Amino acid sequence: MRLSRNWLLALPLAALLAGSPAQAAGTLTIAQAQDPNNWDPIATFLISWGSVAGNFFEGLVIRDESLKLQPGLATSWEVLEGGKRLRFHLRQGVTFHDGEPFNAEAVKFTIDRLLGPEGKKGPQQSNYTTIGSVEIVDAATVDIVMKQPDPVMLTKLAGYGAMMVPPKYVTEKGSAAFALAPVGTGPFKVVDYQPKVSVTLEPYAGYWGVKPKLDKVVYRFIVEPDTQLAELQAGRIDIASNLSVAATGIVSKSADLKLESITGPTVVVVRLNTAHGVTTDVRVRKAMIMAVDRDAIVKQILMGQAETVTSFQSSLSFGFDPKQAAVPFDPAGAKKLLAEAKVPAGTAVALDFPSNNTTFREVAQAMAGYMSAVGLKVAVRPSEQNVYTNDIVPNGKTGEMFQFGWGGWTFDYDNTAYLMYHTGEHWNPYDKDATLDGMLDAQRLIADPKQREAKLQDIAHYVADHALEIPMYNLNTIYGLNKRVKGFVPPPDNRIRLQTTTVE
Amino acid sequence: MTGFLVRRFAISIFVVLVVTLLVAWAVRLSGDPAVMLTGAGNVTAQDLANIRQGLGLDRPFYVQYLSFVGGMLTGDMGRSFMGGSSVARLVGHALPLTVLLTFVSLGLALLASIPLGVHAAVNRGRLADQAIRILSLVGLSFPNFWLALMLVLVFGVALGWLPPSGAEGPSSLVMPAVTIAVILTASTVRLVRTTMLETLSAQYIMVARAKGLREWVVLYRHALRNCAVPLITYIGLQFGGLIGGVVVVERVFNWPGMGSLAFDAVASRDYPVLQACVTVLAVMIVGINLAIDIGYGVIDPRMRNR
């Protein structure tokens, strides 16, 4: 009995029994589905990391809500030697949350750590391999020396792996401790982190820029969208960041709540198996695209909370071609193409997707309906997400069609196109096209943005001409807000910025 | 008795070992923690190989398993693949919450089901009996997640009396505990009623009544004690199922207990956390059953000498 009583008095329970007050003024509570678990910038690629950590980490450059690059910890920069050298003039008088000064040493430490053995353990290093070395010019100036020009590098310096970390703190405490108690230069500092429960931020008094108006920000990790909705309705959270499409009606009808939705980074397509089955025939692939009324799917199933796409990128992406036309919904034309390809009516095809994607489950049913109208019998095949992303897709075990959602925070089409279409890439089990490989490789070497954009647009057209995928939609990120929240700008890259936000 | 206990104890340890081995093996059959670690983001094969090496997943299975068992024996549960938190710390936060939730639910269920079951048995065939039986059937038919969502809608959202989720105060415990208790009560009531009916027809009950004892003394002192063995056996058997139900309920109420921890660990293939969760829960279930075996002796003197 003594033992169990001690258990009951353990710390978390003491906190539990003490209870907690209702929402305090000046405190903003945000629910998000996932706990990124690790706050170290070089160890993560999770959207859930970016939506929190952008408030306490900063890079040399900052990307604002409209996705424009702004001076961050560097006040200005120069592109030298044809893009082989990037020179940064550092902001003076900046300190980390622990009081450590930010300077050229910190930049060198951060990038060296990212490219060294510590970075090797995480997923970020591969994004920055075009960097050769960091040279300190003087205390306020650093050069990043490139192995080759990298047109996306400036954008990459505004997020994730290149977030500036404090050399002394990281060296003394070690990476494992840093991962749980991060220190950056951002407007907020982390004051408490309870794994799987919450992370609490407070304004950093020594911040160099616009100081936040909030007294406290609490991110609560709530997995179930319905639970987030209930908490929002009960007035216990101010922002729900993972609402289901079905919840949008409830939120928009409520007197206390409002809906903010914005184009998200993730684009969903149904990729086609070009190596096996009837989909090896380009006419069949084209017929499949024509068979599905994607506008109706967006309107009816996704309640308008998405936009149809013409290629595997959103309209905000670098490489997007506004002139690229959608393949029109044309069941008669689809039937004709299938007849030309000698595909008999009632031919069985399969559509694979991860089972936890309840939204796509409905979309898949609708697609099966549209395809049966042109004579294709679709088996809808959900699989557990981990098995799906680790085995079924990379090992080429899908049916003729498989769902895939992708989108990089850099909003650069290269990020998606290279990984999806280039021969031998992890996520590309089927496509082998030397012409396409050549186009993908060539654009990476072009420093001129205009030229590179044209090349990326060519790639999007090439993919559409060869019907490698059924372009589906770009899902909105849907935020449910309590009306007491003011000045919240929904970010298209999921990176919530809270400097201008207030709570009444 | 001692020989019996030693034997039962040895079997319990064997069961726990088999369970951990099965789980460690099965969780590695599909999925890859390295990919989950990156959120299935932009990764190359080289990144994945580096991450696997960092996590020690490039070692043979038996080495990984033995190092896990060795770690558990020395109290070192290792570090989570997701962020490197100490597994002991994660379990240390989650376990008391799950134990609290489980025992409060169990207590509520017993508090409700014993009087209801006894009342139904005494009034066999009458309106009260019918009503209790129908109610318990309704209770049995509720899926726990549905009941949980309905409670949240009514008490969390519409009335605003209780927090819809989290573990922030005693009020947070009410809805999850009631959800589990309702379903457990429904089945336990039926058991209490049946065993009570059998007991009430026994001669010593007639004797007790003939002695002029008050009815509640007859029911709760004499009759109920003889229902205790089947009841405790049943609760012991239910315990595994109870823990299973806790996983769902914890998730709906965002209760940061062992269920939520294990569920996330499965989804992200966080082997150290999942293995630790399963081991701890297995020890708990096996331990409860062991305690019940010992408990028989306390409750029923006839069993002490067997």
Side-chain angles (χ1 to χ4, degrees), chain B residues 22 84 91 122-123 135 145 224 234:
Chain B
L22 275 177
V91 171
V122 172
N123 296 295
L135 272 180
F145 61 88
L224 189 61
Y234 179 73

Side-chain angles (χ1 to χ4, degrees), chain B residues 1 4-5 8 224-236 286-306:
Chain B
M1 189 72 187
F4 165 80
L5 280 183
R8 285 295 325 222
L224 189 61
R225 193 149 182 178
N226 284 285
C227 299
V229 170
L231 185 61
I232 286 184
T233 310
Y234 179 73
I235 295 290
V286 167
I288 292 276
N289 281 291
L290 189 65
I292 283 167
D293 281 348
I294 298 166
Y296 288 150
V298 178
I299 291 160
D300 189 344
R302 287 170 302 180
M303 292 201 179
R304 273 175 217 166
N305 302 323
R306 284 192 191 167

Side-chain angles (χ1 to χ4, degrees), chain A residues 7-8 12-13 15-17 19-20 37-38 45-46 120-121 123 126 179-180 193-197 220-224 227 230-231 233-234 236 384 386-387 389-390 406 415 419 426-427, chain B residues 30-32 35-36 38-43 47-48 50-51 82-83 85 89-90 93 96-97 100 152 156-157 163-170 251-252 254-256 261 264 267-269:
Chain A
W7 268 118
L8 292 179
L13 280 180
L16 167 74
L17 297 171
S20 73
N37 294 305
N38 188 331
F45 218 121
L46 299 175
K120 204 180 160 117
K121 290 187 225 151
S126 59
L180 301 174
Y193 171 50
Q194 300 290 331
K196 317 278 180 196
V197 180
R220 284 180 58 196
F221 307 120
I222 302 177
V223 185
E224 291 295 322
T227 309
E231 287 280 334
Q233 286 178 299
R236 284 165 32 93
E384 195 254 358
N386 207 310
V387 174
T389 45
N390 286 297
W406 202 264
N415 179 288
L419 297 170
H426 186 70
W427 302 111
Chain B
S30 69
D32 182 342
V35 175
M36 284 298 115
T38 62
N42 308 359
V43 284
D47 290 334
L48 293 176
N50 291 344
I51 293 169
M82 304 286 140
S85 296
R89 182 169 171 243
L90 291 174
H93 275 80
L97 289 168
L100 180 74
V152 168
V157 176
S165 77
E168 294 160 4
R251 195 167 158 95
V252 174
N254 217 47
W255 183 263
L261 193 61
D264 284 352
S268 56
R269 300 295 193 271

Side-chain angles (χ1 to χ4, degrees), chain A residues 196-197, chain B residues 90-91 93-99 101 167 246-247 250-251 254-264 277 281:
Chain A
K196 317 278 180 196
V197 180
Chain B
L90 291 174
V91 171
H93 275 80
L95 186 62
L97 289 168
T98 293
V99 169
L101 177 58
V246 165
V247 175
E250 281 187 357
R251 195 167 158 95
N254 217 47
W255 183 263
M258 295 293 279
S260 299
L261 193 61
F263 196 98
D264 284 352
C277 283
L281 292 178

Side-chain angles (χ1 to χ4, degrees), chain B residues 153-241:
Chain B
L153 269 183
V154 175
F155 297 101
V157 176
L159 298 172
W161 291 351
L162 296 165
S165 77
E168 294 160 4
S171 57
S172 297
L173 186 60
V174 178
M175 287 198 283
V178 167
T179 305
I180 299 170
V182 163
I183 291 155
L184 191 62
T185 304
S187 58
T188 316
V189 160
R190 306 188 138 231
L191 182 91
V192 173
R193 179 182 172 275
T194 317
T195 48
M196 225 21 206
L197 280 177
E198 271 172 40
T199 316
L200 286 179
S201 59
Q203 284 197 331
Y204 67 87
I205 296 294
M206 222 186 292
V207 172
R209 281 183 176 146
K211 279 199 295 186
L213 290 179
R214 269 165 299 174
E215 185 64 11
W216 74 266
V217 179
V218 175
L219 291 178
Y220 287 90
R221 289 274 290 276
H222 292 257
L224 189 61
R225 193 149 182 178
N226 284 285
C227 299
V229 170
L231 185 61
I232 286 184
T233 310
Y234 179 73
I235 295 290
L237 288 174
Q238 286 289 302
F239 199 77

Side-chain angles (χ1 to χ4, degrees), chain A residues 126-466:
Chain A
S126 59
N127 292 309
Y128 299 88
T129 46
T130 49
I131 298 179
S133 62
V134 177
E135 286 172 11
I136 297 178
V137 179
D138 58 53
T141 316
V142 280
D143 283 357
I144 292 183
V145 184
M146 307 294 293
K147 288 182 200 155
Q148 64 186 65
D150 182 345
V152 197
M153 186 47 70
L154 269 175
T155 303
K156 286 177 181 172
L157 290 176
Y160 287 90
M163 292 298 201
M164 290 298 141
V165 301
K168 193 159 146 270
Y169 183 85
V170 173
T171 314
E172 278 173 12
K173 305 265 173 165
S175 291
F178 178 63
L180 301 174
V183 165
T185 61
F188 289 90
K189 59 181 179 184
V190 177
V191 292
D192 180 52
Y193 171 50
Q194 300 290 331
K196 317 278 180 196
V197 180
S198 65
V199 59
T200 306
L201 315 181
E202 278 174 15
Y204 171 47
Y207 184 57
W208 58 267
V210 180
K211 291 196 177 66
K213 298 181 182 103
L214 294 163
D215 299 330
K216 199 195 236 184
V217 179
V218 182
Y219 282 84
R220 284 180 58 196
F221 307 120
I222 302 177
V223 185
E224 291 295 322
D226 288 337
T227 309
Q228 284 200 9
L229 175 64
E231 287 280 334
L232 186 68
Q233 286 178 299
R236 284 165 32 93
I237 59 171
D238 302 303
I239 300 176
S241 62
N242 288 79
L243 287 182
S244 62
V245 168
T248 53
I250 299 170
V251 173
S252 52
K253 278 189 208 113
S254 163
D256 306 326
L257 310 176
K258 63 178 172 182
L259 212 58
E260 292 269 11
S261 86
I262 181 140
T263 312
T266 306
V267 174
V268 174
V269 304
V270 170
R271 297 169 71 186
L272 299 171
N273 187 335
T274 54
H276 313 103
V278 290
T279 39
T280 47
D281 188 324
V282 66
R283 289 170 299 189
V284 177
R285 301 202 295 268
K286 285 192 169 156
M288 284 174 155
I289 301 174
M290 291 156 77
V292 179
D293 187 349
R294 286 157 290 155
D295 288 317
I297 287 176
V298 165
K299 221 163 127 194
Q300 304 294 332
I301 299 175
L302 306 174
M303 312 280 191
Q305 293 293 343
E307 218 179 313
T308 53
V309 292
T310 51
S311 62
F312 205 158
Q313 61 186 327
S314 80
S315 54
L316 296 174
S317 163
F318 185 79
F320 171 76
D321 181 0
K323 292 193 291 290
Q324 187 168 4
V327 177
F329 172 53
D330 179 8
K335 268 190 188 161
K336 216 172 114 208
L337 274 178
L338 287 173
E340 262 177 44
K342 302 207 165 50
V343 174
T347 297
V349 289
L351 168 57
D352 287 281
F353 66 97
S355 60
N356 63 342
N357 192 333
T358 47
T359 307
F360 191 81
R361 186 184 292 265
E362 288 182 49
V363 173
Q365 303 287 358
M367 289 181 74
Y370 282 120
M371 293 209 177
S372 77
V374 300
L376 291 171
K377 200 160 162 270
V378 179
V380 171
R381 292 200 307 216
S383 309
E384 195 254 358
Q385 198 207 326
N386 207 310
V387 174
Y388 185 77
T389 45
N390 286 297
D391 182 23
I392 293 177
V393 173
N395 294 328
K397 295 179 182 174
T398 72
E400 286 76 6
M401 300 180 270
F402 59 107
Q403 183 264 14
F404 216 74
W406 202 264
W409 64 273
T410 52
F411 285 91
D412 191 296
Y413 184 48
D414 164 67
N415 179 288
T416 302
Y418 199 93
L419 297 170
M420 297 299 128
Y421 312 128
H422 197 280
T423 305
E425 279 296 321
H426 186 70
W427 302 111
N428 173 21
Y430 304 125
D431 302 334
K432 288 188 182 69
D433 184 332
T435 316
L436 191 51
D437 288 351
M439 293 164 86
L440 288 163
D441 288 326
Q443 58 82 24
R444 286 198 160 181
L445 301 172
I446 302 172
D448 179 66
K450 278 269 168 280
Q451 277 182 32
R452 200 170 75 87
E453 188 172 28
K455 280 281 177 209
L456 287 173
Q457 290 173 345
D458 287 349
I459 291 168
H461 283 279
Y462 186 91
V463 170
D465 291 344
H466 290 77

